[in-house]
Amino acid sequence: MIPPLFGLVLAGGASRRMQRDKAGLAYHGQPQLQWAFDLLTPFCSSTFVSVREEQRREPLRARFPQIVDRNSVPGPIAGIMTALSEHPQAAWLVLACDLPFLTPSLLRYLITHREPRRSATAYRSSHDGLPEPLCAIWEPGAREALREFVAAGRHCPRKFLMGADILLLDLPDAHALDNINTTQEFAAAVDALDTLPPFRLAAGLQGNETQDTGDDAAGRGKTLRIRYYAVLREQAGCHEETIDTQAATPAELYAQLARRHPFKLAPAQLKVALNAEFSDWDTNLRHGDTVVFIPPVAGG
């Protein structure tokens, strides 16, 4: 049997070069940790955040199911080892929390080409051709070999993959796995995201996938632009955000958003508009839609 796929967002770093917590940076209108967790969740049976012991009660990380490092080794390899040990029957889709250009299409492509009989399935870096360990599927079969690797005093997950039996895939989007480590890189990434063509982040495969245009798109991954007004804008903390989602209808989308933001209004108190026209709550959402939830004029 193919092992179930669990998700792990690595958020145990100290962010020394950034000089502030990378998990809390906002590229998409919300903390990056929340965005990464939501990106993984539709693809995985269960999703967790990897943290160090001293980070367990930190307010942002405390929101999520956690895998707490049980290894004294430095770096992300500790989180990967702990996850493989705590759920030894599962494979792990591991994702660093500092990858703002990642897309659902890239994860879907990785999962589609997964080879469970190997130790891992990973992308080949577009910069140096080496395996990218922090957007990869680590299979249960890697556990013992990884333990021996660490016992020998080695701590680099990339070097482990270089010597392991893995499937290495070409990266469809050269910049999708660019990670952000400094304040200068953060500013440049924000500028780049602002200047990308609308909804480019959902395409991701540069022509390998086509945009969903029909009713068969319901329930599949798509990128939507959400706009908020009045009390919803206050509760969301922003006027607009762009999200990747598998919500099939505005009703499912609002339920997802209500788990992210402290929305108090029930759907019955709101109207919904799609692409500047009033719509029903059970209308099929399509990639690229603009969705507006309209509260009562007096705020409800």
Side-chain angles (χ1 to χ4, degrees):
M1 293 182 63
I2 297 176
L5 187 63
F6 284 15
L8 186 70
V9 183
L10 296 169
S15 303
R16 292 186 181 92
R17 283 181 286 173
M18 185 64 71
Q19 300 179 343
R20 50 179 165 159
D21 188 5
K22 290 194 291 185
L25 297 176
Y27 300 90
H28 305 280
Q30 59 183 313
Q32 178 65 10
L33 179 55
Q34 180 72 63
W35 182 84
F37 186 90
D38 289 345
L39 187 65
L40 273 185
T41 296
F43 298 102
C44 302
S45 301
S46 299
T47 306
F48 301 85
V49 170
S50 172
V51 301
R52 289 176 283 114
E53 176 64 36
E54 59 268 29
Q55 295 173 316
R56 294 183 63 182
R57 295 176 178 80
E58 186 273 323
L60 175 59
R61 289 166 174 78
R63 302 179 191 175
F64 304 98
Q66 296 177 349
I67 297 285
V68 182
D69 288 357
R70 291 193 283 108
N71 300 279
S72 59
V73 297
I77 202 166
I80 298 170
M81 287 184 62
T82 302
L84 286 167
S85 296
E86 289 203 5
H87 297 275
Q89 303 305 317
W92 288 89
L93 176 51
V94 173
L95 180 65
C97 75
D98 59 352
L99 303 174
F101 297 102
L102 190 60
T103 66
S105 295
L106 215 73
L107 295 182
R108 190 177 300 113
Y109 188 81
L110 183 69
I111 294 167
T112 300
H113 292 82
R114 170 190 175 192
E115 287 198 7
R117 294 183 181 180
R118 300 197 179 190
S119 294
T121 301
Y123 281 117
R124 178 183 289 107
S125 170
S126 59
H127 301 292
D128 57 19
L130 300 177
E132 292 280 9
L134 305 187
C135 179
I137 298 173
W138 293 72
E139 300 291 346
R143 186 176 66 255
E144 291 304 319
L146 191 60
R147 184 178 299 169
E148 293 175 4
F149 179 83
V150 170
R154 309 178 70 186
H155 303 142
C156 177
R158 170 172 284 183
K159 290 182 178 179
F160 172 81
L161 292 182
M162 290 169 61
D165 176 25
I166 70 171
L167 175 64
L168 201 55
L169 303 173
D170 289 330
L171 189 59
D173 184 335
H175 296 289
L177 298 185
D178 287 357
N179 65 326
I180 310 302
N181 293 307
T182 68
T183 55
Q184 293 82 5
E185 291 174 353
F186 172 62
V190 170
D191 287 343
L193 289 164
D194 285 343
T195 57
L196 286 172
F199 309 111
R200 172 267 180 197
L201 287 179
L205 293 184
Q206 299 179 336
N208 290 344
E209 293 186 357
T210 58
Q211 178 173 317
D212 292 325
T213 56
D215 289 345
D216 61 340
R220 295 169 56 188
K222 58 187 74 71
T223 295
L224 305 175
R225 178 175 293 169
I226 319 297
R227 291 177 176 166
Y228 304 112
Y229 296 97
V231 66
L232 293 183
R233 179 174 59 194
E234 297 174 5
Q235 293 170 350
C238 61
H239 173 67
E240 178 178 306
E241 63 181 338
T242 300
I243 70 167
D244 298 312
T245 181
Q246 289 196 334
T249 65
E252 292 181 15
L253 176 63
Y254 186 76
Q256 175 185 335
L257 293 168
R259 294 191 293 270
R260 177 184 304 172
H261 302 303
F263 292 158
K264 305 300 182 185
L265 298 176
Q269 298 173 277
L270 305 170
K271 293 184 181 297
V272 62
L274 294 182
N275 306 315
E277 294 184 1
F278 284 111
S279 179
D280 296 326
W281 285 90
D282 58 355
T283 301
N284 284 334
L285 295 173
R286 293 182 173 86
H287 170 68
D289 280 345
T290 295
V291 186
V292 183
F293 296 106
I294 306 169
V297 174

